[in-house]
Amino acid sequence: MAQLRSVRVRFAPSPTGELHIGGARTALFNYLFARAQKGTFILRIDDTDLERSRPEYTEGLLNSMRWLSLDWDEGPYFQSRRLEEYNREAARLLEEKKAYHCYCTPEELAAGREQARKAGKPYLYPGTCRNLSREKARAHLAAGRSAVIRLRTPDHGETVVRDLIRGEIRFNNSDLDDFIIIKSNGLPTYNFASVVDDTQMQITDVIRAEEHLSNTPRQQLCIEALGYEQPRYAHVPMILAPDRSKLSKRHGAISVEEFRSRGYLPEALINYIALLGWSPGEEEIVPLSKMVSLFSLDRVSKTAAIYDTTKLTWMNGYYLREAPLDRIATEALPFFEARGLLKAPLEKEEEDYFKKVIATVRDRVKTLVELAEASTYFYQEISSYDPKGVEKHFCKEGSADLLRRAAELLRNVEPFDLDTVETAYRDLSKELGVSTGRLIHSTRLAISGRTMGPGLFEIIILLGRDKTVSRLEKAALWIEEL
RNA sequence: GGCCCCUUCGUCUAAUCGGUGAGGACACCAGCCUUUCAAGCUGGCAGCAGGGGUUCAAAUCCCCUAGGGGUCACCA
């Protein structure tokens, strides 16, 4: 079908918490759709819930979006600054008798619901105030009752939602009641505010989580009453927690900020969440720019996905290994600072060394937290030796001597470079009549405190002659004191 | 409970008008490589929720059952 209007989509979070991966993925899909269609991506903050909305959450939301490089073209718009729009539209509906004031108290409504529950019947607002006489209304007002505004919805017929992902979904209007569009505090409800904004902002495609599917007929009814054109809808599957329940804070790391602080790279997180509900085709490692050219809604699945950080972690390791060194250095620095290994800003020399350390260590870690952890011995003296390693490599006869001979060798070897040191080391092991492995393993433990890590000779060269020699001697002494 | 959506390896998914030994990725296991740990390479394990139809032929279409999820607020 020919595209008449250029595409306009929006991501409309409510600032009641940090951006979590479900929201991030909805934002991503909107972003991809907009970019793929050369359309406009709008950010709107749905902050009509006075109780729960916090400005600091808005700030966090924006930060997370920026960090993920989900840049938007318009906004952020704030619903709280558009209240006159909702009131104007509501007034028009009132005028046209498509909406009406309702004076029922929350207590009365709750009582009705309770009664329905007891009777095992579904509760629908009974329409008490639907055709209230002027006198009755005045009486309620005089009695100090406050009013809400409800939409007058059809009792018969059906409302059909045409969903780009799920096809036609039919709802009986008789199952829908006259729901509230303006609360007694004068603020619009979600279903109404959302619709007024979407129409006024000329949103062409509403792409959002499946949890909104059931609300869609209500919104379509609003749009119909307002006399506007319906947007297209696409409800993307939910992301569920590992226990199959709806994502919430109790499920551990689910906010973008948390992933960030746990040492995940934005490109890895983006790539991973894209795969939750969307399939790029053959290759799963897809950078954001590539995603744009590959993205289409008909490759979005209908099935809810359970998120599982195992694959994300693998992917993070991949990006950690493959990304340009400078980029990793930038991302890693805060983690090195947090461990007290470095303090920004770095001197030129410090920075060069830092990059060398990262280059040798990054191949075997999966997160930036691990990267910093695995780099400590390049910055700090050895405070303890791995106990299992001690048992294996330090407790054998002659271990201390072995290390002393190694120290002696390294003190004198020229030039102090990878090949020369390695050759000398192999020669030494022959001369001493021990396996090369034995010599290597005990050296590694002595200079890094660990049994695993980068190639030994890389560590030695990077650490430098002086530190290596002194650590070997220190270890020899330590063994003798055992 | 009413309404709505969904159901392919443990997890993410492919198989887009019915014809495949049901493909890939992560994880797991084994082997190779190797100074350790990773990485990499090779191989392996593992799935169409169940039951009925329709059809020469069903993961794919229809119905039922079961399971999961969502929603029914003066939350969004």
Side-chain angles (χ1 to χ4, degrees):
Chain A
M1 204 199 291
Q3 200 69 64
L4 298 180
R5 292 181 289 169
S6 78
V7 158
R8 289 172 63 82
V9 296
R10 80 326 191 253
F11 174 55
S14 62
T16 55
E18 294 182 317
L19 181 64
H20 64 78
I21 54 173
R25 199 206 43 185
T26 301
L28 172 63
F29 284 3
N30 273 283
Y31 170 91
L32 292 173
F33 186 78
R35 294 287 172 269
Q37 309 266 338
K38 303 250 182 297
T40 307
F41 177 42
I42 295 157
L43 181 60
R44 189 176 75 218
I45 305 297
D46 283 8
D47 56 351
T48 54
D49 183 350
L50 262 27
E51 309 283 307
R52 298 194 300 150
S53 293
R54 309 297 282 257
E56 57 267 33
Y57 285 137
T58 298
E59 215 32 66
L61 244 24
L62 301 187
N63 274 338
S64 295
M65 298 270 294
R66 289 190 200 105
W67 183 66
L68 292 170
S69 12
L70 298 177
D71 41 290
W72 55 93
D73 307 307
E74 276 183 32
Y77 298 117
F78 292 85
Q79 291 193 321
S80 58
R81 295 184 200 155
R82 295 174 38 78
L83 299 181
E84 54 300 357
E85 303 296 335
Y86 314 123
N87 286 324
R88 215 183 54 214
E89 293 287 47
R92 189 159 64 82
L93 293 179
L94 240 25
E95 184 76 18
E96 295 169 6
K97 300 275 188 269
K98 289 173 179 167
Y100 59 89
H101 287 288
C102 167
Y103 302 91
C104 298
T105 62
E107 293 73 31
E108 288 168 347
L109 297 172
R113 264 193 287 275
E114 179 60 15
Q115 212 169 29
R117 197 190 59 78
K118 274 187 185 152
K121 295 250 172 71
Y123 174 80
L124 293 176
Y125 173 69
T128 318
C129 300
R130 209 178 203 192
N131 299 301
L132 223 49
S133 66
R134 217 163 276 250
E135 292 69 37
K136 262 286 206 195
R138 254 195 288 267
H140 281 317
L141 246 23
R145 289 195 177 205
S146 52
V148 300
I149 301 175
R150 289 181 186 271
L151 188 75
R152 196 185 298 274
T153 62
D155 299 322
H156 309 288
E158 55 179 20
T159 298
V160 182
V161 176
R162 284 177 233 292
D163 190 275
L164 262 23
I165 293 169
R166 285 152 215 282
E168 281 190 2
I169 303 149
R170 320 182 88 85
F171 296 86
N172 282 317
N173 290 335
S174 55
D175 291 332
L176 270 27
D177 61 5
D178 291 351
F179 53 93
I180 296 172
I181 57 175
I182 301 284
K183 302 181 257 186
S184 60
N185 63 4
L187 294 178
T189 56
Y190 164 74
N191 281 323
F192 191 62
S194 175
V195 151
V196 170
D197 286 340
D198 287 346
T199 51
Q200 289 191 4
M201 293 172 187
Q202 302 188 51
I203 302 301
T204 56
D205 298 82
V206 173
I207 302 170
R208 57 174 27 159
E210 192 191 341
E211 60 183 312
H212 295 288
L213 185 54
S214 302
N215 276 319
T216 309
R218 283 179 241 285
Q219 294 171 15
Q220 291 197 166
L221 254 17
C222 280
I223 293 175
E224 217 170 280
L226 289 165
Y228 296 125
E229 194 185 332
Q230 302 286 350
R232 288 179 290 261
Y233 292 96
H235 288 93
V236 305
M238 311 265 309
I239 296 177
L240 266 24
D243 65 356
R244 302 202 62 88
S245 70
K246 198 171 166 180
L247 233 38
S248 77
K249 289 189 181 54
R250 66 192 165 81
H251 293 114
I254 57 159
S255 82
V256 170
E257 263 331 288
E258 276 176 73
F259 281 111
R260 180 183 194 170
S261 68
R262 290 182 187 209
Y264 289 91
L265 297 165
E267 50 267 60
L269 189 55
I270 279 282
N271 196 156
Y272 174 72
I273 62 178
L275 262 28
L276 256 31
W278 174 70
S279 170
E282 66 273 20
E283 186 53 61
E284 290 196 326
I285 298 280
V286 193
L288 190 56
S289 58
K290 179 86 175 166
M291 271 182 223
V292 170
S293 61
L294 257 31
F295 189 79
S296 84
L297 246 25
D298 50 45
R299 289 198 74 83
V300 172
S301 81
K302 298 177 187 161
T303 327
I306 298 169
Y307 99 98
D308 165 33
T309 50
T310 315
K311 191 165 182 173
L312 166 63
T313 303
W314 162 78
M315 198 169 262
N316 203 61
Y318 176 88
Y319 277 100
L320 220 41
R321 255 175 279 130
E322 300 296 323
L325 192 58
D326 283 356
R327 157 133 195 78
I328 300 303
T330 309
E331 295 290 330
L333 184 54
F335 292 86
F336 278 64
E337 287 190 90
R339 270 198 165 270
L341 306 180
L342 285 169
K343 194 159 166 32
L346 302 185
E347 310 267 322
K348 178 81 180 81
E349 233 170 274
E350 258 182 322
E351 190 185 328
D352 289 345
Y353 189 70
F354 175 46
K355 283 183 185 166
K356 281 184 192 164
V357 168
I358 294 173
T360 61
V361 172
R362 68 164 167 175
D363 283 2
R364 30 190 54 86
V365 298
K366 295 192 188 316
T367 68
L368 295 169
V369 172
E370 288 175 19
L371 181 63
E373 200 280 326
S375 303
T376 50
Y377 55 86
F378 287 108
Y379 293 96
Q380 299 173 338
E381 283 308 307
I382 310 304
S383 53
S384 68
Y385 301 105
D386 178 273
K388 277 186 190 151
V390 169
E391 209 174 302
K392 250 175 124 176
H393 309 302
F394 280 3
C395 289
K396 277 189 199 134
E397 245 335 281
S399 292
D401 280 345
L402 203 64
L403 296 179
R404 287 224 163 78
R405 291 295 299 268
E408 193 189 327
L409 171 84
L410 292 174
R411 201 177 356 246
N412 301 312
V413 70
E414 282 299 343
F416 195 78
D417 65 30
L418 205 94
D419 290 342
T420 315
V421 168
E422 177 162 359
T423 308
Y425 236 69
R426 291 189 187 282
D427 289 346
L428 178 66
S429 69
K430 247 176 244 161
E431 187 190 327
L432 296 177
V434 301
S435 73
T436 313
R438 166 118 200 258
L439 187 56
I440 284 173
H441 293 144
S442 44
T443 301
R444 180 196 310 284
L445 186 61
I447 66 175
S448 76
R450 310 177 190 212
T451 58
M452 32 163 268
L456 179 71
F457 305 109
E458 288 177 76
I459 300 179
I460 290 176
I461 299 305
L462 196 50
L463 211 48
R465 197 197 295 270
D466 294 348
K467 277 186 184 166
T468 306
V469 169
S470 83
R471 285 184 191 182
L472 283 166
E473 284 170 343
K474 202 175 134 193
L477 276 173
W478 189 86
I479 291 170
E480 284 161 354
E481 282 167 17
L482 269 179

